[in-house]
Structures are given as structure tokens and as C-alpha cells.
Amino acid sequence: MGLNGAWLILFIPVLSFVVNILFQIIWCRFKAGGGLLKSEYLGCLWGLITLILMHIYPYENQKSSSMDILFITTNFLIYLALSYCYFHFINLCLTARRIRLVRDLFASGNGLTLNEIQKNYNASEMLKKRTRRLLNSGQILEINGRYFIGKPMMLFAAWSLVRLKFIFLGKGSEYD
């Protein structure tokens, strides 16, 4: 593809991102018990497949140039950046305690006392809920009262984020 139609190629990651979002919405609405995290991963995968197919189709019988490789690489990075931001936006909306607290205060109508807030945000209860979610999703396993890594995907994601934090922020630990 020459430079004349090159600007059209920039819509490919956006369209792929729309496929990502639509797949995730459809999964969550119609696949009861499918899980939010699974829908996010599958949506990202289907968006990536869309991106790949939209780049392969025009080149079935053509030889690609170095400019085409640059467009494909750029679109891949744009798509991953959009998906990464979307993933964290969804999780921020669902898991951030500050956002949840503001929603709870708004929903209460009469406000909440400090004791009510502390009851709702009990660290022990939060740990129990998170542990239950991790067990239910298979991300961790309980064997004889001890917890172990189940599905290693979250461990890989956590390790990757720690490495990125070190690369970009210079932090030596995930607790910094």
C-alpha cells in the first residue's frame, strides 16, 4: 500500500479497539459467569485478531515494503496502548477504594459516619473477598490451608508491571 492510502491504515487500531470493547460488552451481557477479567482478555485477543486480519487482507498477493512494516508495528503498538488504558480504566472504576467510597457516600443520601465507612472498608473483609475472587477464578489454589499460584497468567502480568515500573520509574521494588 502506498502513502496515498496510508492515512486509512491509522483507523485500523481504532477499529480493532472497538471490536475489543464490543466483544467484552457482549461477553459480559450474554455469557453469565464468564468473568470480567476473562472478558477483557478475550476482547483484547479478538481486537488483536481483527488488527492482524485487517493488515493481512490487503497484502495477500503483494509484497510488503518497509513502510508497510512500520505501519503494522505502529498500529500494533497503538492498539496495545489503547487496550492497556481501557483495561485499567475498567479496573479502576470497579476496584479503586476512593471511587467506591465516593459512590457509597453518594448512594447513602444522609452521608456515612466514620464507623460505617470503616465497617465497609475493613481490611480483613477486603482480603477475604479478594482471596475468594482469586480462588473462584483459579488464579490461586488452597491446598491444606496454604495458598499457591494457580493460573500463572496473573503472576506474569504482575511480574511484567513490576519490571515496567522499574524501567520507567526507577523503582527497585513493587512496594516502592
mmCIF file of all heavy atoms in Angstrom, residues 69-86:
data_model
loop_
_atom_site.group_PDB
_atom_site.id
_atom_site.type_symbol
_atom_site.label_atom_id
_atom_site.label_comp_id
_atom_site.label_asym_id
_atom_site.label_seq_id
_atom_site.Cartn_x
_atom_site.Cartn_y
_atom_site.Cartn_z
ATOM 1 N N ILE A 69 5.682 -2.373 7.000
ATOM 2 C CA ILE A 69 6.097 -2.964 8.273
ATOM 3 C C ILE A 69 6.029 -1.907 9.374
ATOM 4 O O ILE A 69 5.592 -2.182 10.502
ATOM 5 C CB ILE A 69 7.530 -3.548 8.180
ATOM 6 C CG1 ILE A 69 7.632 -4.584 7.072
ATOM 7 C CG2 ILE A 69 7.978 -4.104 9.520
ATOM 8 C CD1 ILE A 69 6.841 -5.835 7.267
ATOM 9 N N LEU A 70 6.433 -0.680 9.055
ATOM 10 C CA LEU A 70 6.367 0.418 10.020
ATOM 11 C C LEU A 70 4.920 0.695 10.419
ATOM 12 O O LEU A 70 4.620 0.877 11.599
ATOM 13 C CB LEU A 70 7.016 1.674 9.435
ATOM 14 C CG LEU A 70 6.990 2.920 10.321
ATOM 15 C CD1 LEU A 70 7.816 2.687 11.586
ATOM 16 C CD2 LEU A 70 7.507 4.113 9.554
ATOM 17 N N PHE A 71 4.009 0.718 9.437
ATOM 18 C CA PHE A 71 2.591 0.948 9.736
ATOM 19 C C PHE A 71 2.032 -0.170 10.620
ATOM 20 O O PHE A 71 1.310 0.089 11.573
ATOM 21 C CB PHE A 71 1.758 1.029 8.452
ATOM 22 C CG PHE A 71 1.925 2.319 7.699
ATOM 23 C CD1 PHE A 71 2.033 2.307 6.321
ATOM 24 C CD2 PHE A 71 1.968 3.536 8.355
ATOM 25 C CE1 PHE A 71 2.174 3.477 5.615
ATOM 26 C CE2 PHE A 71 2.114 4.727 7.653
ATOM 27 C CZ PHE A 71 2.213 4.690 6.283
ATOM 28 N N ILE A 72 2.357 -1.389 10.306
ATOM 29 C CA ILE A 72 1.852 -2.537 11.078
ATOM 30 C C ILE A 72 2.370 -2.459 12.518
ATOM 31 O O ILE A 72 1.608 -2.628 13.474
ATOM 32 C CB ILE A 72 2.260 -3.862 10.405
ATOM 33 C CG1 ILE A 72 1.514 -4.025 9.082
ATOM 34 C CG2 ILE A 72 1.985 -5.046 11.330
ATOM 35 C CD1 ILE A 72 2.038 -5.140 8.200
ATOM 36 N N THR A 73 3.652 -2.184 12.664
ATOM 37 C CA THR A 73 4.248 -2.086 14.002
ATOM 38 C C THR A 73 3.623 -0.938 14.784
ATOM 39 O O THR A 73 3.264 -1.089 15.963
ATOM 40 C CB THR A 73 5.768 -1.891 13.904
ATOM 41 O OG1 THR A 73 6.322 -2.971 13.154
ATOM 42 C CG2 THR A 73 6.409 -1.835 15.272
ATOM 43 N N THR A 74 3.460 0.205 14.137
ATOM 44 C CA THR A 74 2.852 1.360 14.792
ATOM 45 C C THR A 74 1.422 1.057 15.214
ATOM 46 O O THR A 74 1.018 1.364 16.338
ATOM 47 C CB THR A 74 2.884 2.585 13.859
ATOM 48 O OG1 THR A 74 4.234 2.856 13.499
ATOM 49 C CG2 THR A 74 2.270 3.797 14.518
ATOM 50 N N ASN A 75 0.654 0.443 14.326
ATOM 51 C CA ASN A 75 -0.735 0.117 14.659
ATOM 52 C C ASN A 75 -0.819 -0.901 15.787
ATOM 53 O O ASN A 75 -1.702 -0.826 16.642
ATOM 54 C CB ASN A 75 -1.478 -0.382 13.425
ATOM 55 C CG ASN A 75 -1.891 0.757 12.528
ATOM 56 O OD1 ASN A 75 -1.832 1.923 12.924
ATOM 57 N ND2 ASN A 75 -2.292 0.437 11.325
ATOM 58 N N PHE A 76 0.088 -1.853 15.790
ATOM 59 C CA PHE A 76 0.124 -2.839 16.860
ATOM 60 C C PHE A 76 0.364 -2.143 18.198
ATOM 61 O O PHE A 76 -0.328 -2.400 19.190
ATOM 62 C CB PHE A 76 1.220 -3.871 16.569
ATOM 63 C CG PHE A 76 1.398 -4.899 17.636
ATOM 64 C CD1 PHE A 76 0.462 -5.908 17.818
ATOM 65 C CD2 PHE A 76 2.506 -4.857 18.470
ATOM 66 C CE1 PHE A 76 0.624 -6.862 18.807
ATOM 67 C CE2 PHE A 76 2.685 -5.805 19.459
ATOM 68 C CZ PHE A 76 1.733 -6.808 19.633
ATOM 69 N N LEU A 77 1.332 -1.232 18.239
ATOM 70 C CA LEU A 77 1.636 -0.501 19.473
ATOM 71 C C LEU A 77 0.488 0.420 19.899
ATOM 72 O O LEU A 77 0.167 0.517 21.090
ATOM 73 C CB LEU A 77 2.932 0.291 19.318
ATOM 74 C CG LEU A 77 4.193 -0.558 19.159
ATOM 75 C CD1 LEU A 77 5.398 0.325 18.840
ATOM 76 C CD2 LEU A 77 4.439 -1.399 20.397
ATOM 77 N N ILE A 78 -0.150 1.070 18.925
ATOM 78 C CA ILE A 78 -1.309 1.924 19.230
ATOM 79 C C ILE A 78 -2.431 1.077 19.820
ATOM 80 O O ILE A 78 -3.046 1.445 20.827
ATOM 81 C CB ILE A 78 -1.792 2.686 17.980
ATOM 82 C CG1 ILE A 78 -0.773 3.749 17.567
ATOM 83 C CG2 ILE A 78 -3.162 3.326 18.222
ATOM 84 C CD1 ILE A 78 -1.045 4.367 16.212
ATOM 85 N N TYR A 79 -2.694 -0.067 19.202
ATOM 86 C CA TYR A 79 -3.758 -0.944 19.701
ATOM 87 C C TYR A 79 -3.458 -1.424 21.119
ATOM 88 O O TYR A 79 -4.332 -1.406 21.995
ATOM 89 C CB TYR A 79 -3.971 -2.144 18.769
ATOM 90 C CG TYR A 79 -4.942 -3.125 19.360
ATOM 91 C CD1 TYR A 79 -6.297 -2.834 19.390
ATOM 92 C CD2 TYR A 79 -4.510 -4.310 19.933
ATOM 93 C CE1 TYR A 79 -7.197 -3.705 19.977
ATOM 94 C CE2 TYR A 79 -5.400 -5.189 20.515
ATOM 95 C CZ TYR A 79 -6.748 -4.885 20.532
ATOM 96 O OH TYR A 79 -7.632 -5.737 21.120
ATOM 97 N N LEU A 80 -2.236 -1.849 21.365
ATOM 98 C CA LEU A 80 -1.874 -2.308 22.710
ATOM 99 C C LEU A 80 -1.991 -1.179 23.732
ATOM 100 O O LEU A 80 -2.453 -1.409 24.857
ATOM 101 C CB LEU A 80 -0.463 -2.884 22.721
ATOM 102 C CG LEU A 80 -0.294 -4.240 22.040
ATOM 103 C CD1 LEU A 80 1.150 -4.703 22.150
ATOM 104 C CD2 LEU A 80 -1.233 -5.289 22.611
ATOM 105 N N ALA A 81 -1.614 0.029 23.363
ATOM 106 C CA ALA A 81 -1.727 1.167 24.280
ATOM 107 C C ALA A 81 -3.196 1.469 24.590
ATOM 108 O O ALA A 81 -3.558 1.693 25.750
ATOM 109 C CB ALA A 81 -1.042 2.395 23.689
ATOM 110 N N LEU A 82 -4.048 1.467 23.573
ATOM 111 C CA LEU A 82 -5.479 1.685 23.793
ATOM 112 C C LEU A 82 -6.072 0.595 24.684
ATOM 113 O O LEU A 82 -6.838 0.881 25.614
ATOM 114 C CB LEU A 82 -6.229 1.725 22.456
ATOM 115 C CG LEU A 82 -5.998 2.944 21.574
ATOM 116 C CD1 LEU A 82 -6.595 2.722 20.186
ATOM 117 C CD2 LEU A 82 -6.578 4.186 22.221
ATOM 118 N N SER A 83 -5.717 -0.646 24.416
ATOM 119 C CA SER A 83 -6.229 -1.771 25.200
ATOM 120 C C SER A 83 -5.743 -1.709 26.640
ATOM 121 O O SER A 83 -6.503 -2.000 27.573
ATOM 122 C CB SER A 83 -5.830 -3.095 24.561
ATOM 123 O OG SER A 83 -6.419 -3.212 23.289
ATOM 124 N N TYR A 84 -4.494 -1.340 26.827
ATOM 125 C CA TYR A 84 -3.920 -1.215 28.164
ATOM 126 C C TYR A 84 -4.668 -0.151 28.970
ATOM 127 O O TYR A 84 -5.049 -0.381 30.122
ATOM 128 C CB TYR A 84 -2.437 -0.868 28.049
ATOM 129 C CG TYR A 84 -1.747 -0.658 29.371
ATOM 130 C CD1 TYR A 84 -1.288 -1.744 30.106
ATOM 131 C CD2 TYR A 84 -1.548 0.619 29.880
ATOM 132 C CE1 TYR A 84 -0.639 -1.564 31.321
ATOM 133 C CE2 TYR A 84 -0.908 0.807 31.093
ATOM 134 C CZ TYR A 84 -0.460 -0.280 31.813
ATOM 135 O OH TYR A 84 0.170 -0.092 33.010
ATOM 136 N N CYS A 85 -4.903 1.001 28.358
ATOM 137 C CA CYS A 85 -5.629 2.084 29.044
ATOM 138 C C CYS A 85 -7.060 1.663 29.357
ATOM 139 O O CYS A 85 -7.569 1.933 30.453
ATOM 140 C CB CYS A 85 -5.629 3.348 28.193
ATOM 141 S SG CYS A 85 -4.002 4.114 28.060
ATOM 142 N N TYR A 86 -7.710 0.994 28.424
ATOM 143 C CA TYR A 86 -9.086 0.528 28.632
ATOM 144 C C TYR A 86 -9.150 -0.478 29.778
ATOM 145 O O TYR A 86 -10.023 -0.399 30.644
ATOM 146 C CB TYR A 86 -9.617 -0.089 27.338
ATOM 147 C CG TYR A 86 -10.999 -0.669 27.453
ATOM 148 C CD1 TYR A 86 -12.096 0.154 27.657
ATOM 149 C CD2 TYR A 86 -11.198 -2.040 27.354
ATOM 150 C CE1 TYR A 86 -13.366 -0.386 27.756
ATOM 151 C CE2 TYR A 86 -12.465 -2.578 27.448
ATOM 152 C CZ TYR A 86 -13.548 -1.737 27.648
ATOM 153 O OH TYR A 86 -14.802 -2.274 27.755
#
